[in-house]
Amino acid sequence: FFRKCCKCLFWHFHYTTHGIEVSFFYAKSRTCSFIVLQFRINPKSDFKNRGIKKMVKPIMKDIFFLGQKSEPATKADLQVGRDLMDTLAANRERCVGMAANMIGVKKRVIIVNLGFVDVVMFNPILVRKDSPYKTEEGCLSLPGIRKTTRYQTIEVEYLDMNWKKQNLKLDGWTAQICQHELDHLEGILI
């Protein structure tokens, strides 16, 4: 709908299809304007009948398997990225990132929660790191908390879900999450 009042222009559009709701809000006055775009998936919708396959995998806890280096991912491993997205979403309350070996797949694929979006990375490479610090971390695959060294700022190159090369600079908490998952790919257990 469209509405004008108090010297302010307000516009709202809402659309629902196949269990996905899209809302677009726009407001403008003489002094400011803002836009909000929101997507929401209805959890009660039936994805199986709409061609969307959800696959939540069990969490691997075998230390021997987790301690092995992962192999390079290929385009044939795109489903692994989707499985990581579904499994992370199912464990959202206790997990902020995952590596493919945590769901029993020995491939170089990770997912990192950036606070507002989850990013799947195929064959990620740490290309830069700055400002080391000591911290403690836990892992969904292992009990307890362990001490480790992380870097405040990192830069990672990877292939995205469209198999396009990306470069991402991270700092603070998101950099720490990414480094933990990168360690998983090397068989390093924290």
mmCIF file of all heavy atoms in Angstrom, residues 14-53:
data_model
loop_
_atom_site.group_PDB
_atom_site.id
_atom_site.type_symbol
_atom_site.label_atom_id
_atom_site.label_comp_id
_atom_site.label_asym_id
_atom_site.label_seq_id
_atom_site.Cartn_x
_atom_site.Cartn_y
_atom_site.Cartn_z
ATOM 1 N N HIS A 14 3.936 -6.093 0.335
ATOM 2 C CA HIS A 14 4.046 -7.399 0.991
ATOM 3 C C HIS A 14 3.563 -8.461 0.013
ATOM 4 O O HIS A 14 2.506 -8.322 -0.597
ATOM 5 C CB HIS A 14 3.191 -7.409 2.262
ATOM 6 C CG HIS A 14 3.310 -8.675 3.043
ATOM 7 N ND1 HIS A 14 4.357 -8.913 3.901
ATOM 8 C CD2 HIS A 14 2.531 -9.777 3.088
ATOM 9 C CE1 HIS A 14 4.205 -10.108 4.442
ATOM 10 N NE2 HIS A 14 3.123 -10.643 3.971
ATOM 11 N N TYR A 15 4.345 -9.551 -0.128
ATOM 12 C CA TYR A 15 4.014 -10.602 -1.076
ATOM 13 C C TYR A 15 4.362 -11.946 -0.458
ATOM 14 O O TYR A 15 5.412 -12.094 0.173
ATOM 15 C CB TYR A 15 4.804 -10.386 -2.368
ATOM 16 C CG TYR A 15 4.538 -11.412 -3.429
ATOM 17 C CD1 TYR A 15 3.335 -11.425 -4.126
ATOM 18 C CD2 TYR A 15 5.482 -12.376 -3.742
ATOM 19 C CE1 TYR A 15 3.082 -12.366 -5.110
ATOM 20 C CE2 TYR A 15 5.242 -13.321 -4.719
ATOM 21 C CZ TYR A 15 4.038 -13.310 -5.404
ATOM 22 O OH TYR A 15 3.798 -14.245 -6.375
ATOM 23 N N THR A 16 3.502 -12.932 -0.618
ATOM 24 C CA THR A 16 3.757 -14.283 -0.115
ATOM 25 C C THR A 16 3.595 -15.280 -1.252
ATOM 26 O O THR A 16 2.599 -15.244 -1.972
ATOM 27 C CB THR A 16 2.784 -14.649 1.017
ATOM 28 O OG1 THR A 16 2.902 -13.696 2.058
ATOM 29 C CG2 THR A 16 3.078 -16.036 1.565
ATOM 30 N N THR A 17 4.596 -16.166 -1.402
ATOM 31 C CA THR A 17 4.510 -17.230 -2.391
ATOM 32 C C THR A 17 5.318 -18.430 -1.928
ATOM 33 O O THR A 17 6.408 -18.267 -1.399
ATOM 34 C CB THR A 17 4.997 -16.772 -3.782
ATOM 35 O OG1 THR A 17 4.858 -17.862 -4.695
ATOM 36 C CG2 THR A 17 6.431 -16.334 -3.764
ATOM 37 N N HIS A 18 4.791 -19.613 -2.057
ATOM 38 C CA HIS A 18 5.483 -20.860 -1.720
ATOM 39 C C HIS A 18 6.092 -20.833 -0.321
ATOM 40 O O HIS A 18 7.191 -21.322 -0.097
ATOM 41 C CB HIS A 18 6.562 -21.181 -2.747
ATOM 42 C CG HIS A 18 6.048 -21.327 -4.132
ATOM 43 N ND1 HIS A 18 5.233 -22.354 -4.506
ATOM 44 C CD2 HIS A 18 6.212 -20.550 -5.218
ATOM 45 C CE1 HIS A 18 4.922 -22.229 -5.781
ATOM 46 N NE2 HIS A 18 5.488 -21.129 -6.240
ATOM 47 N N GLY A 19 5.390 -20.207 0.623
ATOM 48 C CA GLY A 19 5.874 -20.179 1.996
ATOM 49 C C GLY A 19 6.943 -19.140 2.272
ATOM 50 O O GLY A 19 7.484 -19.079 3.356
ATOM 51 N N ILE A 20 7.255 -18.276 1.288
ATOM 52 C CA ILE A 20 8.262 -17.228 1.490
ATOM 53 C C ILE A 20 7.548 -15.881 1.446
ATOM 54 O O ILE A 20 6.847 -15.570 0.484
ATOM 55 C CB ILE A 20 9.358 -17.286 0.419
ATOM 56 C CG1 ILE A 20 10.068 -18.631 0.475
ATOM 57 C CG2 ILE A 20 10.348 -16.143 0.614
ATOM 58 C CD1 ILE A 20 11.066 -18.846 -0.629
ATOM 59 N N GLU A 21 7.707 -15.090 2.512
ATOM 60 C CA GLU A 21 7.107 -13.769 2.577
ATOM 61 C C GLU A 21 8.169 -12.722 2.278
ATOM 62 O O GLU A 21 9.282 -12.789 2.795
ATOM 63 C CB GLU A 21 6.538 -13.512 3.970
ATOM 64 C CG GLU A 21 5.423 -14.454 4.349
ATOM 65 C CD GLU A 21 4.928 -14.237 5.758
ATOM 66 O OE1 GLU A 21 5.279 -13.209 6.373
ATOM 67 O OE2 GLU A 21 4.201 -15.101 6.251
ATOM 68 N N VAL A 22 7.819 -11.751 1.458
ATOM 69 C CA VAL A 22 8.732 -10.659 1.133
ATOM 70 C C VAL A 22 8.040 -9.363 1.511
ATOM 71 O O VAL A 22 6.896 -9.116 1.112
ATOM 72 C CB VAL A 22 9.072 -10.637 -0.381
ATOM 73 C CG1 VAL A 22 10.002 -9.484 -0.697
ATOM 74 C CG2 VAL A 22 9.670 -11.957 -0.813
ATOM 75 N N SER A 23 8.709 -8.525 2.311
ATOM 76 C CA SER A 23 8.173 -7.217 2.683
ATOM 77 C C SER A 23 9.178 -6.149 2.294
ATOM 78 O O SER A 23 10.385 -6.310 2.500
ATOM 79 C CB SER A 23 7.927 -7.141 4.191
ATOM 80 O OG SER A 23 6.911 -8.033 4.561
ATOM 81 N N PHE A 24 8.680 -5.057 1.749
ATOM 82 C CA PHE A 24 9.514 -3.935 1.352
ATOM 83 C C PHE A 24 8.891 -2.686 1.968
ATOM 84 O O PHE A 24 7.705 -2.418 1.766
ATOM 85 C CB PHE A 24 9.555 -3.815 -0.171
ATOM 86 C CG PHE A 24 10.310 -2.623 -0.678
ATOM 87 C CD1 PHE A 24 11.680 -2.693 -0.848
ATOM 88 C CD2 PHE A 24 9.656 -1.440 -0.965
ATOM 89 C CE1 PHE A 24 12.383 -1.605 -1.317
ATOM 90 C CE2 PHE A 24 10.341 -0.344 -1.434
ATOM 91 C CZ PHE A 24 11.714 -0.424 -1.609
ATOM 92 N N PHE A 25 9.666 -1.941 2.756
ATOM 93 C CA PHE A 25 9.199 -0.707 3.376
ATOM 94 C C PHE A 25 10.066 0.443 2.882
ATOM 95 O O PHE A 25 11.286 0.328 2.828
ATOM 96 C CB PHE A 25 9.332 -0.771 4.902
ATOM 97 C CG PHE A 25 8.556 -1.885 5.527
ATOM 98 C CD1 PHE A 25 9.143 -3.114 5.750
ATOM 99 C CD2 PHE A 25 7.245 -1.702 5.913
ATOM 100 C CE1 PHE A 25 8.447 -4.152 6.337
ATOM 101 C CE2 PHE A 25 6.529 -2.726 6.495
ATOM 102 C CZ PHE A 25 7.125 -3.950 6.709
ATOM 103 N N TYR A 26 9.438 1.549 2.563
ATOM 104 C CA TYR A 26 10.178 2.738 2.149
ATOM 105 C C TYR A 26 9.513 3.940 2.799
ATOM 106 O O TYR A 26 8.285 4.095 2.743
ATOM 107 C CB TYR A 26 10.148 2.892 0.624
ATOM 108 C CG TYR A 26 10.761 4.181 0.137
ATOM 109 C CD1 TYR A 26 12.140 4.319 0.079
ATOM 110 C CD2 TYR A 26 9.970 5.251 -0.249
ATOM 111 C CE1 TYR A 26 12.716 5.496 -0.361
ATOM 112 C CE2 TYR A 26 10.528 6.426 -0.696
ATOM 113 C CZ TYR A 26 11.907 6.547 -0.749
ATOM 114 O OH TYR A 26 12.467 7.711 -1.177
ATOM 115 N N ALA A 27 10.310 4.773 3.435
ATOM 116 C CA ALA A 27 9.783 6.002 4.043
ATOM 117 C C ALA A 27 10.713 7.148 3.694
ATOM 118 O O ALA A 27 11.935 6.988 3.677
ATOM 119 C CB ALA A 27 9.676 5.842 5.547
ATOM 120 N N LYS A 28 10.118 8.313 3.405
ATOM 121 C CA LYS A 28 10.927 9.472 3.043
ATOM 122 C C LYS A 28 10.264 10.738 3.551
ATOM 123 O O LYS A 28 9.058 10.919 3.435
ATOM 124 C CB LYS A 28 11.101 9.555 1.527
ATOM 125 C CG LYS A 28 11.981 10.710 1.111
ATOM 126 C CD LYS A 28 12.247 10.688 -0.359
ATOM 127 C CE LYS A 28 13.175 11.866 -0.644
ATOM 128 N NZ LYS A 28 13.688 11.870 -1.971
ATOM 129 N N SER A 29 11.071 11.583 4.134
ATOM 130 C CA SER A 29 10.623 12.909 4.536
ATOM 131 C C SER A 29 11.632 13.909 4.005
ATOM 132 O O SER A 29 12.571 13.538 3.292
ATOM 133 C CB SER A 29 10.506 13.003 6.059
ATOM 134 O OG SER A 29 11.789 12.952 6.638
ATOM 135 N N ARG A 30 11.491 15.170 4.364
ATOM 136 C CA ARG A 30 12.454 16.175 3.902
ATOM 137 C C ARG A 30 13.842 15.956 4.492
ATOM 138 O O ARG A 30 14.838 16.311 3.902
ATOM 139 C CB ARG A 30 11.975 17.571 4.266
ATOM 140 C CG ARG A 30 10.794 18.013 3.474
ATOM 141 C CD ARG A 30 10.432 19.413 3.813
ATOM 142 N NE ARG A 30 9.295 19.831 3.023
ATOM 143 C CZ ARG A 30 8.681 20.968 3.164
ATOM 144 N NH1 ARG A 30 9.105 21.812 4.075
ATOM 145 N NH2 ARG A 30 7.661 21.256 2.413
ATOM 146 N N THR A 31 13.901 15.368 5.662
ATOM 147 C CA THR A 31 15.195 15.234 6.355
ATOM 148 C C THR A 31 15.851 13.864 6.211
ATOM 149 O O THR A 31 17.055 13.746 6.357
ATOM 150 C CB THR A 31 15.032 15.543 7.855
ATOM 151 O OG1 THR A 31 14.037 14.661 8.387
ATOM 152 C CG2 THR A 31 14.630 16.986 8.062
ATOM 153 N N CYS A 32 15.082 12.820 5.969
ATOM 154 C CA CYS A 32 15.711 11.496 5.884
ATOM 155 C C CYS A 32 14.836 10.532 5.088
ATOM 156 O O CYS A 32 13.674 10.807 4.812
ATOM 157 C CB CYS A 32 15.980 10.930 7.279
ATOM 158 S SG CYS A 32 14.489 10.545 8.195
ATOM 159 N N SER A 33 15.437 9.395 4.766
ATOM 160 C CA SER A 33 14.689 8.320 4.121
ATOM 161 C C SER A 33 15.316 6.996 4.526
ATOM 162 O O SER A 33 16.487 6.940 4.903
ATOM 163 C CB SER A 33 14.699 8.478 2.601
ATOM 164 O OG SER A 33 15.995 8.347 2.114
ATOM 165 N N PHE A 34 14.526 5.934 4.464
ATOM 166 C CA PHE A 34 15.086 4.616 4.739
ATOM 167 C C PHE A 34 14.316 3.556 3.967
ATOM 168 O O PHE A 34 13.176 3.749 3.592
ATOM 169 C CB PHE A 34 15.109 4.299 6.246
ATOM 170 C CG PHE A 34 13.756 4.082 6.852
ATOM 171 C CD1 PHE A 34 13.201 2.813 6.903
ATOM 172 C CD2 PHE A 34 13.036 5.143 7.379
ATOM 173 C CE1 PHE A 34 11.958 2.605 7.466
ATOM 174 C CE2 PHE A 34 11.790 4.932 7.941
ATOM 175 C CZ PHE A 34 11.249 3.673 7.994
ATOM 176 N N ILE A 35 15.004 2.430 3.749
ATOM 177 C CA ILE A 35 14.426 1.288 3.056
ATOM 178 C C ILE A 35 14.698 0.046 3.893
ATOM 179 O O ILE A 35 15.809 -0.141 4.382
ATOM 180 C CB ILE A 35 15.055 1.100 1.656
ATOM 181 C CG1 ILE A 35 14.757 2.303 0.770
ATOM 182 C CG2 ILE A 35 14.552 -0.188 1.015
ATOM 183 C CD1 ILE A 35 15.488 2.262 -0.548
ATOM 184 N N VAL A 36 13.714 -0.804 4.035
ATOM 185 C CA VAL A 36 13.888 -2.082 4.720
ATOM 186 C C VAL A 36 13.318 -3.168 3.814
ATOM 187 O O VAL A 36 12.187 -3.073 3.350
ATOM 188 C CB VAL A 36 13.155 -2.107 6.083
ATOM 189 C CG1 VAL A 36 13.265 -3.483 6.711
ATOM 190 C CG2 VAL A 36 13.684 -1.040 7.006
ATOM 191 N N LEU A 37 14.111 -4.173 3.535
ATOM 192 C CA LEU A 37 13.675 -5.326 2.754
ATOM 193 C C LEU A 37 13.789 -6.549 3.656
ATOM 194 O O LEU A 37 14.845 -6.804 4.224
ATOM 195 C CB LEU A 37 14.548 -5.492 1.507
ATOM 196 C CG LEU A 37 14.173 -6.610 0.562
ATOM 197 C CD1 LEU A 37 12.779 -6.391 -0.003
ATOM 198 C CD2 LEU A 37 15.177 -6.694 -0.570
ATOM 199 N N GLN A 38 12.711 -7.267 3.812
ATOM 200 C CA GLN A 38 12.697 -8.391 4.734
ATOM 201 C C GLN A 38 12.170 -9.637 4.025
ATOM 202 O O GLN A 38 11.168 -9.583 3.321
ATOM 203 C CB GLN A 38 11.787 -8.037 5.919
ATOM 204 C CG GLN A 38 11.591 -9.142 6.907
ATOM 205 C CD GLN A 38 10.649 -8.705 8.032
ATOM 206 O OE1 GLN A 38 10.192 -7.583 8.093
ATOM 207 N NE2 GLN A 38 10.350 -9.618 8.910
ATOM 208 N N PHE A 39 12.880 -10.764 4.218
ATOM 209 C CA PHE A 39 12.438 -12.059 3.714
ATOM 210 C C PHE A 39 12.159 -12.947 4.912
ATOM 211 O O PHE A 39 12.927 -12.976 5.860
ATOM 212 C CB PHE A 39 13.524 -12.732 2.863
ATOM 213 C CG PHE A 39 13.804 -12.031 1.583
ATOM 214 C CD1 PHE A 39 14.778 -11.060 1.520
ATOM 215 C CD2 PHE A 39 13.094 -12.346 0.438
ATOM 216 C CE1 PHE A 39 15.046 -10.408 0.342
ATOM 217 C CE2 PHE A 39 13.353 -11.710 -0.737
ATOM 218 C CZ PHE A 39 14.335 -10.734 -0.800
ATOM 219 N N ARG A 40 11.094 -13.707 4.875
ATOM 220 C CA ARG A 40 10.775 -14.630 5.963
ATOM 221 C C ARG A 40 10.239 -15.914 5.358
ATOM 222 O O ARG A 40 9.362 -15.879 4.494
ATOM 223 C CB ARG A 40 9.732 -14.020 6.886
ATOM 224 C CG ARG A 40 9.421 -14.884 8.075
ATOM 225 C CD ARG A 40 8.463 -14.153 9.029
ATOM 226 N NE ARG A 40 7.835 -15.105 9.874
ATOM 227 C CZ ARG A 40 6.699 -15.734 9.615
ATOM 228 N NH1 ARG A 40 6.039 -15.485 8.528
ATOM 229 N NH2 ARG A 40 6.196 -16.609 10.448
ATOM 230 N N ILE A 41 10.768 -17.043 5.812
ATOM 231 C CA ILE A 41 10.290 -18.340 5.357
ATOM 232 C C ILE A 41 9.331 -18.877 6.410
ATOM 233 O O ILE A 41 9.674 -18.974 7.585
ATOM 234 C CB ILE A 41 11.454 -19.324 5.137
ATOM 235 C CG1 ILE A 41 12.370 -18.793 4.041
ATOM 236 C CG2 ILE A 41 10.928 -20.703 4.795
ATOM 237 C CD1 ILE A 41 13.610 -19.606 3.826
ATOM 238 N N ASN A 42 8.149 -19.218 5.980
ATOM 239 C CA ASN A 42 7.154 -19.765 6.886
ATOM 240 C C ASN A 42 7.585 -21.182 7.283
ATOM 241 O O ASN A 42 7.657 -22.060 6.429
ATOM 242 C CB ASN A 42 5.788 -19.782 6.199
ATOM 243 C CG ASN A 42 4.688 -20.268 7.118
ATOM 244 O OD1 ASN A 42 4.956 -20.843 8.170
ATOM 245 N ND2 ASN A 42 3.454 -20.027 6.722
ATOM 246 N N PRO A 43 7.872 -21.427 8.580
ATOM 247 C CA PRO A 43 8.351 -22.757 8.991
ATOM 248 C C PRO A 43 7.318 -23.863 8.806
ATOM 249 O O PRO A 43 7.667 -25.028 8.781
ATOM 250 C CB PRO A 43 8.686 -22.574 10.474
ATOM 251 C CG PRO A 43 7.924 -21.370 10.903
ATOM 252 C CD PRO A 43 7.758 -20.498 9.689
ATOM 253 N N LYS A 44 6.050 -23.516 8.623
ATOM 254 C CA LYS A 44 5.018 -24.529 8.447
ATOM 255 C C LYS A 44 4.818 -24.909 6.982
ATOM 256 O O LYS A 44 4.037 -25.780 6.670
ATOM 257 C CB LYS A 44 3.700 -24.031 9.032
ATOM 258 C CG LYS A 44 3.755 -23.871 10.537
ATOM 259 C CD LYS A 44 2.447 -23.408 11.083
ATOM 260 C CE LYS A 44 2.547 -23.244 12.597
ATOM 261 N NZ LYS A 44 1.318 -22.741 13.179
ATOM 262 N N SER A 45 5.532 -24.224 6.080
ATOM 263 C CA SER A 45 5.342 -24.544 4.661
ATOM 264 C C SER A 45 5.972 -25.893 4.333
ATOM 265 O O SER A 45 6.916 -26.339 4.969
ATOM 266 C CB SER A 45 5.944 -23.449 3.781
ATOM 267 O OG SER A 45 7.335 -23.411 3.940
ATOM 268 N N ASP A 46 5.458 -26.544 3.337
ATOM 269 C CA ASP A 46 5.903 -27.873 2.934
ATOM 270 C C ASP A 46 6.928 -27.763 1.811
ATOM 271 O O ASP A 46 6.590 -27.690 0.645
ATOM 272 C CB ASP A 46 4.700 -28.696 2.485
ATOM 273 C CG ASP A 46 5.071 -30.114 2.106
ATOM 274 O OD1 ASP A 46 6.229 -30.518 2.362
ATOM 275 O OD2 ASP A 46 4.215 -30.814 1.553
ATOM 276 N N PHE A 47 8.216 -27.740 2.165
ATOM 277 C CA PHE A 47 9.278 -27.566 1.175
ATOM 278 C C PHE A 47 9.433 -28.782 0.267
ATOM 279 O O PHE A 47 9.836 -28.653 -0.861
ATOM 280 C CB PHE A 47 10.605 -27.282 1.874
ATOM 281 C CG PHE A 47 10.649 -25.916 2.485
ATOM 282 C CD1 PHE A 47 10.552 -25.760 3.853
ATOM 283 C CD2 PHE A 47 10.776 -24.798 1.694
ATOM 284 C CE1 PHE A 47 10.583 -24.508 4.410
ATOM 285 C CE2 PHE A 47 10.814 -23.536 2.247
ATOM 286 C CZ PHE A 47 10.720 -23.392 3.611
ATOM 287 N N LYS A 48 9.115 -29.965 0.745
ATOM 288 C CA LYS A 48 9.304 -31.173 -0.061
ATOM 289 C C LYS A 48 8.499 -31.113 -1.349
ATOM 290 O O LYS A 48 8.936 -31.571 -2.385
ATOM 291 C CB LYS A 48 8.921 -32.414 0.754
ATOM 292 C CG LYS A 48 9.892 -32.709 1.864
ATOM 293 C CD LYS A 48 9.462 -33.918 2.635
ATOM 294 C CE LYS A 48 10.391 -34.150 3.806
ATOM 295 N NZ LYS A 48 9.949 -35.226 4.657
ATOM 296 N N ASN A 49 7.307 -30.552 -1.269
ATOM 297 C CA ASN A 49 6.460 -30.480 -2.449
ATOM 298 C C ASN A 49 6.818 -29.303 -3.350
ATOM 299 O O ASN A 49 6.225 -29.132 -4.390
ATOM 300 C CB ASN A 49 4.987 -30.394 -2.036
ATOM 301 C CG ASN A 49 4.541 -31.672 -1.361
ATOM 302 O OD1 ASN A 49 5.095 -32.730 -1.622
ATOM 303 N ND2 ASN A 49 3.561 -31.574 -0.496
ATOM 304 N N ARG A 50 7.759 -28.476 -2.947
ATOM 305 C CA ARG A 50 8.119 -27.312 -3.741
ATOM 306 C C ARG A 50 9.550 -27.409 -4.270
ATOM 307 O O ARG A 50 10.120 -26.431 -4.707
ATOM 308 C CB ARG A 50 7.953 -26.060 -2.892
ATOM 309 C CG ARG A 50 6.491 -25.839 -2.555
ATOM 310 C CD ARG A 50 6.280 -24.497 -1.935
ATOM 311 N NE ARG A 50 4.868 -24.214 -1.861
ATOM 312 C CZ ARG A 50 4.090 -24.551 -0.850
ATOM 313 N NH1 ARG A 50 4.574 -25.186 0.173
ATOM 314 N NH2 ARG A 50 2.813 -24.249 -0.858
ATOM 315 N N GLY A 51 10.153 -28.570 -4.182
ATOM 316 C CA GLY A 51 11.470 -28.777 -4.758
ATOM 317 C C GLY A 51 12.621 -28.285 -3.891
ATOM 318 O O GLY A 51 13.753 -28.268 -4.327
ATOM 319 N N ILE A 52 12.346 -27.849 -2.659
ATOM 320 C CA ILE A 52 13.414 -27.402 -1.773
ATOM 321 C C ILE A 52 13.690 -28.524 -0.788
ATOM 322 O O ILE A 52 12.837 -28.886 0.008
ATOM 323 C CB ILE A 52 13.023 -26.106 -1.022
ATOM 324 C CG1 ILE A 52 12.743 -25.007 -2.042
ATOM 325 C CG2 ILE A 52 14.124 -25.703 -0.059
ATOM 326 C CD1 ILE A 52 12.195 -23.738 -1.444
ATOM 327 N N LYS A 53 14.905 -29.074 -0.848
ATOM 328 C CA LYS A 53 15.261 -30.220 -0.022
ATOM 329 C C LYS A 53 16.022 -29.737 1.213
ATOM 330 O O LYS A 53 17.065 -29.119 1.103
ATOM 331 C CB LYS A 53 16.131 -31.165 -0.846
ATOM 332 C CG LYS A 53 16.528 -32.413 -0.134
ATOM 333 C CD LYS A 53 17.380 -33.275 -1.050
ATOM 334 C CE LYS A 53 17.865 -34.505 -0.348
ATOM 335 N NZ LYS A 53 18.757 -35.281 -1.188
#
